């Protein structure tokens, strides 16, 4: 299954919010939709979910206009949307039935997810008695209980401690393994790098960068080396201004030309006790800062 947003345009009054936004996300893979606050991510997601229509453009599944009666969408919003004073099982069942499930099937699915996420003891409690992290897990159940084809996760790891973050990682991997389209929107770049095969970075309502994340990284100049060693001072003295220390005690050596990397690697290994030497690749955070910069405006 391939989800495609094609040439999406959207304005609110005189304000242009999206301009020709296009990207594809495939089943069985995770896709990262990134951008600064106000870049157009939320508007794109709402159009994808049919909350409101685009002014022009199309949302397609396998090349055909999406049929919302046949394609299920699960959405975990950044801002929580559950009822704090209501009993958890009651409101989870209510939301599942809104997605077309029978009461019996809804309860069965919800009980599975409560158990899967270690939340069964809270089944008959009010939401406001739970911690922020546990409320996040209950919100996640509303996105997954109806077994959707497309799962949209907006800042899914917000408020989760490391143990619960690991649990959510496992759940996300399961959804991907089932062939679902998983779309991430997050400012936590480490999670995007861990899960997403492809990304789109929005800036001021346009797609500023789009493609396979591995290919994007390899397109950057490969003219720097990362070196880990127990003797950094000698290497710094040898390479002078071309060598600088970076985080985690590593060194980075800037080459005058990318073609020098093999010769410099050989020189390092032959003359020093080297634990690791590799070509430097920018992190997604580096790429995001470069692409989004400080030009994004509130939308």
């Amino acid at each position: 299954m391939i989800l495609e947003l094609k040439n999406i345009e959207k304005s609110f009054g005189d304000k242009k919010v999206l301009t020709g936004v296009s990207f594809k996300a495939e089943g069985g893979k995770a896709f990262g939709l990134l951008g600064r606050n106000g870049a157009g991510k939320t508007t794109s997601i709402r159009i994808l979910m049919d909350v409101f229509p685009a002014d022009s453009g199309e949302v397609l599944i396998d090349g055909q206009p999406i049929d919302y009666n046949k394609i299920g969408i699960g959405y975990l919003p950044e801002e929580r949307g559950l009822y704090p004073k209501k009993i958890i099982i009651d409101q989870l069942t209510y939301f599942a039935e809104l997605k077309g499930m029978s009461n019996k099937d809804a309860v069965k699915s919800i009980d599975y997810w409560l158990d899967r996420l270690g939340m069964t003891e809270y089944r008959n409690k009010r939401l406001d008695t739970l911690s922020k992290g546990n409320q996040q897990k209950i919100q996640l159940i509303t996105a997954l209980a109806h077994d959707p084809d497309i799962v949209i996760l907006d800042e899914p790891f917000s408020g989760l401690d490391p143990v619960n973050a690991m649990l959510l990682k496992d759940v996300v991997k399961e959804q991907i393994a089932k062939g679902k389209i998983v779309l991430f929107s997050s400012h936590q770049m480490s999670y995007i790098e861990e899960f997403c095969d492809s990304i789109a970075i929005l800036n001021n309502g346009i797609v500023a960068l789009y493609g396979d994340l591995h290919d994007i990284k390899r397109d950057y100049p490969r003219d720097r080396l990362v070196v880990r060693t127990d003797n950094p001072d000698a290497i710094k003295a040898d390479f002078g201004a071309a060598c600088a220390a970076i985080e985690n005690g590593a060194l980075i050596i800037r080459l005058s030309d990318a073609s020098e990397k093999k010769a410099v690697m050989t020189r390092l290994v032959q003359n020093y006790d080297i634990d690791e030497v590799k070509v430097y690749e920018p992190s997604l955070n580096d790429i995001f800062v470069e692409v989004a910069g400080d030009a994004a405006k509130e939308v």
Side-chain angles (χ1 to χ4, degrees), residues 163-285:
V163 173
N164 281 323
M166 184 64 68
L167 178 59
L168 178 55
K169 287 181 183 182
D170 291 340
V171 169
V172 171
K173 290 174 183 176
E174 290 171 3
Q175 297 299 302
I176 295 170
K178 289 180 178 179
K180 298 184 179 185
I181 294 170
V182 178
L183 193 152
F184 274 95
S185 179
S186 179
H187 292 114
Q188 295 175 286
M189 298 298 157
S190 60
Y191 291 121
I192 299 295
E193 284 197 278
E194 181 174 353
F195 286 108
C196 294
D197 299 280
S198 300
I199 62 167
I201 299 179
L202 301 184
N203 195 6
N204 292 329
I206 66 170
V207 177
L209 183 67
Y210 165 59
D212 180 273
L213 182 54
H214 178 73
D215 291 342
I216 288 171
K217 287 186 173 186
R218 286 194 63 85
D219 282 343
Y220 276 71
R222 303 177 67 77
D223 59 356
R224 285 174 286 178
L225 299 178
V226 177
V227 182
R228 299 188 186 278
T229 178
D230 288 333
N231 190 16
D233 293 338
I235 296 175
K236 288 169 69 176
D238 187 0
F239 285 86
C243 180
I246 57 173
E247 61 184 15
N248 300 324
L251 301 173
I252 189 162
I253 298 175
R254 185 177 294 275
L255 309 176
S256 57
D257 189 88
S259 63
E260 294 181 351
K261 61 180 180 287
K262 182 176 181 180
V264 174
M265 285 180 173
T266 301
R267 172 182 165 189
L268 287 165
V269 172
Q270 289 179 345
N271 291 283
Y272 302 99
D273 182 13
I274 300 298
D275 295 323
E276 181 185 26
V277 58
K278 63 181 181 180
V279 175
Y280 171 81
E281 284 190 343
S283 68
L284 180 55
N285 190 73

Side-chain angles (χ1 to χ4, degrees), residues 11-55:
S11 296
F12 294 107
D14 295 332
K15 189 173 185 62
K16 190 79 167 183
V17 178
L18 299 178
T19 304
V21 169
S22 298
F23 60 79
K24 294 181 181 181
E26 297 183 33
K29 296 181 179 180
F31 183 89
L33 182 62
L34 310 177
R36 293 181 59 179
N37 294 333
K41 304 186 305 297
T42 300
T43 301
S44 298
I45 289 171
R46 288 174 177 171
I47 289 172
L48 162 59
M49 294 177 61
D50 200 33
V51 175
F52 48 66
D55 297 335

